[in-house]
Amino acid sequence: MTTNSEPHGFTLFATAIGQCALVWNEHGIAAVRLPEQTEGRMLSRLHRQFPLLETATPPPAMQQAIDAMVALFEGKARDLRFCVLDLRRETPFHRRVYAAAQDIPPGKTKTYGEIATLLGEPGASRAVGQALGHNPFPIIVPCHRVLASGARSGGFSAPGGVSTKLRMLLIEGAEIGGAPGLFDREPPPSAH
């Protein structure tokens, strides 16, 4: 993991999936972290990546991003493309993958192959998966909305792994492979 020696502000914020973190600098959002097993573990990882990290009150643009992420995890559809991301350390391919993922609205999904095809590189589904596996902006770049072929969950490198990914999709009422959202299905008939 590359460390970053420029000053960064950060704050922790509560969501329906647990305590998340937002890190920012003068160029925008530098990282979003999903909940870890403990707050101490999250802080330790953040300080390793951002040695000059200091807790701070989020500036208005960062607070707007936090509010939108919290609302998203309350089941409210939110478009987070307004968030300014610090993409300076990302490769051009990763930037393209992240932009394509951001175009997937809440409650919808695409496959790694579909993203690769959208990028004009139909054989690059594995590279798309690797880019999303290194996504420093989960939630804002909704890598949880990208699935393996056949509507399989695929991997998820954030804490909690695939169960966190599925929980996030469940909150959004996601359509998996064109099927109705998890909350849209008819309840099974009750047995009498």
Side-chain angles (χ1 to χ4, degrees):
M1 183 179 296
T2 307
T3 59
N4 194 324
S5 58
E6 65 185 53
H8 288 78
F10 89 102
T11 191
L12 300 177
F13 60 99
T15 72
I17 65 166
Q19 190 92 322
C20 294
L22 181 73
V23 179
W24 67 88
N25 60 34
E26 65 185 22
H27 301 283
I29 295 170
V32 176
R33 292 292 182 261
L34 296 176
E36 294 271 357
Q37 290 176 340
T38 67
E39 185 177 307
R41 187 174 182 168
M42 179 185 288
L43 294 176
S44 175
R45 283 187 174 188
L46 285 171
H47 282 290
R48 273 196 310 270
Q49 185 177 2
F50 303 104
L52 301 180
L53 190 67
E54 293 185 17
T55 187
T57 300
M62 299 303 124
Q63 189 60 53
Q64 284 181 309
I66 290 167
D67 294 344
M69 286 185 277
V70 169
L72 184 69
F73 286 129
E74 291 173 348
K76 300 171 184 157
R78 292 292 184 265
D79 182 345
L80 300 174
R81 289 180 288 187
F82 72 88
C83 297
V84 176
L85 303 176
D86 180 1
L87 295 165
R88 293 174 301 149
R89 288 176 174 67
E90 303 305 319
T91 67
F93 181 75
H94 283 203
R95 289 178 189 200
R96 291 174 52 219
V97 170
Y98 297 164
Q102 284 186 290
D103 285 340
I104 306 168
K108 304 289 184 188
T109 61
K110 289 198 180 298
T111 65
Y112 299 110
E114 288 173 322
I115 298 286
T117 299
L118 283 171
L119 298 178
E121 300 189 37
S125 57
R126 181 165 286 168
V128 167
Q130 290 172 345
L132 292 172
H134 291 94
N135 173 16
F137 317 105
I139 309 171
I140 295 172
V141 173
C143 51
H144 63 282
R145 296 180 191 148
V146 184
L147 306 173
S149 62
R152 294 186 323 263
S153 64
F156 197 59
S157 58
V162 172
S163 64
T164 299
K165 180 176 191 169
L166 294 175
R167 185 171 179 203
M168 293 165 73
L169 290 170
L170 180 69
I171 289 169
E172 293 183 2
E175 291 180 6
I176 310 293
L182 297 170
F183 296 118
D184 296 335
R185 295 198 174 114
E186 290 293 320
S190 57
H192 287 89

